[in-house]
Amino acid sequence: MEIIKVQGLSKSFGTLRVLKNISFTINQGEVVAILGPSGSGKSTLLRCICHLELADGGSIALDGRDLVKDGVYAPAASLREICLKLGLVFQNFNLFPHFSVLRNITEAQVHVLHRSAEEAEQRARELLEKMGLQDKAAGYPDELSGGQQQRVSIARALALDPEVLFFDEPTSALDPELTGDILRVIRNLAAEKMTMVIVTHEIPFAREVADRVLFMDGGAFIEEGPAAEVIDKPRLERTKAFLARLNR
């Protein structure tokens, strides 16, 4: 069942066209990896879908509800409801440094979802256990490794019960030794049929965990298909060159 539908999405910063008439769909329970060189528009695409950037034109719908249609955004109340169903995990964690780990995960639950403090804490502790961080609840972000901070940020996103979870290069700020912990978390979420869109340069991981790969270059998708097919036997020379450079 189709859960995300993007049609003709465009975005410019001044005279620079970053997204050029992007169209694609995501099905419920699907894991889609977006690959492409730096500057190709991948992060901007995620930010537009999650309403952190305003699109210049086109349409974005979640479960048939329009976030933006033909460049016109939904009313504020509808926008808020739709955006609550979209979770984004950033490259650089974006945790509140003056909040404990537990409060980083409970704060939005209380103030956005209006859960009681007890409900929010119970959900936070469940997620910390899932992330293997149950003993870090009282700690602060600067006491954690980068991998642990990223797992807290994933827990924070999951605490709001999103229908779709977006990852913007979730391992790019980590040492190689810590990357495996994050990839294991994402792999487990994929096994639970969490709908995910993952911008990544981890090609073997994308091949393993993604159902489909979209290759982006110059603000547009130029190749897409089943993950193994695109990664092992790309059709376009541009895709071949990109993958060959990463696999050196």
Side-chain angles (χ1 to χ4, degrees):
M1 183 178 74
E2 183 180 280
I3 190 167
I4 293 278
K5 185 173 186 178
V6 176
Q7 292 181 295
L9 191 67
S10 61
K11 174 67 179 177
S12 296
F13 294 106
T15 59
L16 178 64
R17 291 187 67 201
V18 180
L19 301 178
K20 304 173 183 176
N21 200 35
I22 295 279
S23 296
F24 69 104
T25 60
I26 306 292
N27 293 320
Q28 189 169 25
E30 188 177 30
V31 179
V32 173
I34 300 179
L35 308 180
S38 298
S40 59
K42 306 182 301 296
S43 294
T44 300
L45 174 61
L46 296 196
R47 291 178 67 84
C48 283
I49 295 173
C50 294
H51 195 47
L52 296 176
E53 296 282 359
L54 293 179
D56 297 327
S59 303
I60 303 168
L62 171 70
D63 260 346
R65 297 187 66 187
D66 292 319
L67 178 77
V68 55
K69 185 169 180 62
D70 298 328
V72 179
Y73 277 85
S78 296
L79 274 177
R80 182 180 180 278
E81 290 178 8
I82 295 168
C83 291
L84 278 176
K85 300 299 182 181
L86 306 172
L88 176 60
V89 177
F90 298 89
Q91 296 180 35
N92 295 312
F93 325 136
N94 282 19
L95 299 174
F96 294 111
H98 56 296
F99 286 177
S100 69
V101 166
L102 189 67
R103 189 174 174 190
N104 263 284
I105 302 172
T106 59
E107 191 77 0
Q109 293 186 70
V110 172
H111 294 287
V112 177
L113 297 186
H114 306 297
R115 287 178 178 157
S116 69
E118 293 77 13
E119 289 175 314
E121 181 173 337
Q122 180 179 347
R123 178 66 172 145
R125 291 189 183 280
E126 289 170 357
L127 288 167
L128 285 173
E129 183 172 1
K130 187 173 187 174
M131 298 295 145
L133 296 171
Q134 56 268 43
D135 60 336
K136 303 296 184 182
Y140 286 79
D142 65 359
E143 299 169 354
L144 306 180
S145 70
Q148 289 170 333
Q149 289 186 62
Q150 189 62 294
R151 279 182 279 161
V152 173
S153 70
I154 295 172
R156 180 179 61 183
L158 289 171
L160 298 182
D161 301 327
E163 292 186 22
V164 186
L165 192 55
F166 297 85
F167 292 86
D168 187 6
E169 297 192 25
T171 62
S172 66
L174 303 179
D175 294 333
E177 289 183 352
L178 302 175
T179 294
D181 289 339
I182 304 305
L183 299 185
R184 275 192 293 275
V185 168
I186 297 174
R187 194 177 290 116
N188 290 340
L189 291 172
E192 297 171 5
K193 298 300 181 183
M194 180 79 201
T195 307
M196 292 184 286
V197 179
I198 307 167
V199 168
T200 183
H201 285 106
E202 299 286 342
I203 303 302
F205 173 72
R207 188 189 188 285
E208 174 196 348
V209 78
D211 299 299
R212 191 158 46 103
V213 160
L214 305 175
F215 180 72
M216 195 170 189
D217 190 39
F221 289 133
I222 63 171
E223 185 164 358
E224 66 176 282
E229 183 178 301
V230 172
I231 291 171
D232 294 345
K233 298 178 180 178
R235 294 179 295 104
L236 300 181
E237 289 302 320
R238 180 67 187 94
T239 315
K240 291 177 184 177
F242 172 81
L243 292 170
R245 191 163 60 248
L246 287 188
N247 287 329
R248 283 176 185 169

